[in-house]
Amino acid sequence: MTATLYVCTTCKVGEVHEDDSQRPGARLHRALTSAPAPDGVQIVGVACLSACKTGAAVALSQPGKWTYVYGQMTEDNAPDILEGAALYAASEDGIVPWRERPVIFRKQSVARVPALTLPLEAAP
């Protein structure tokens, strides 16, 4: 199965642009797709991830795995994002050991969402 790296192409990060292709999210998407995607990862641009206050955002998702949303990403972060996506794709459940994650994934996490296939348990 393939992991999907969603990239918010409409993120403005507080900037104003007449040309939508110059938005920080669109620039991040271009930087991520300028090189081949890691094995087991597809990169998909989306109109909005509703993480506007966190700047340019990306999300990693795969059926049966936890989903992660990361913010404050820039085009300079593209190599680290791709490295983190490859580690995520290779993981069994989407959880990459904390010390193995790129620093931006450790420090710029916005949300972690359980896989839809996880059993529901009452909170303690």
Side-chain angles (χ1 to χ4, degrees), residues 60-71:
L60 279 166
S61 184
Q62 185 171 338
K65 292 185 177 186
W66 286 82
T67 294
Y68 287 85
V69 180
Y70 300 100

Side-chain angles (χ1 to χ4, degrees), residues 65-89:
K65 292 185 177 186
W66 286 82
T67 294
Y68 287 85
V69 180
Y70 300 100
Q72 300 174 335
M73 299 292 165
T74 69
E75 52 204 296
D76 293 338
N77 299 132
D80 289 333
I81 294 169
L82 294 173
E83 175 190 351
L87 292 168
Y88 175 88

Side-chain angles (χ1 to χ4, degrees), residues 8-91:
C8 180
T9 59
T10 56
C11 281
K12 296 189 274 188
V13 193
E15 298 178 12
V16 177
H17 295 281
E18 297 283 327
D19 177 4
D20 288 348
S21 71
Q22 294 308 311
R23 289 181 175 194
R27 293 193 314 259
L28 175 59
H29 183 258
R30 277 195 303 277
L32 290 166
T33 57
S34 67
D39 287 342
V41 176
Q42 65 177 344
I43 301 170
V44 177
V46 294
C48 184
L49 288 173
S50 283
C52 304
K53 291 185 179 183
T54 66
V58 299
L60 279 166
S61 184
Q62 185 171 338
K65 292 185 177 186
W66 286 82
T67 294
Y68 287 85
V69 180
Y70 300 100
Q72 300 174 335
M73 299 292 165
T74 69
E75 52 204 296
D76 293 338
N77 299 132
D80 289 333
I81 294 169
L82 294 173
E83 175 190 351
L87 292 168
Y88 175 88
S91 72

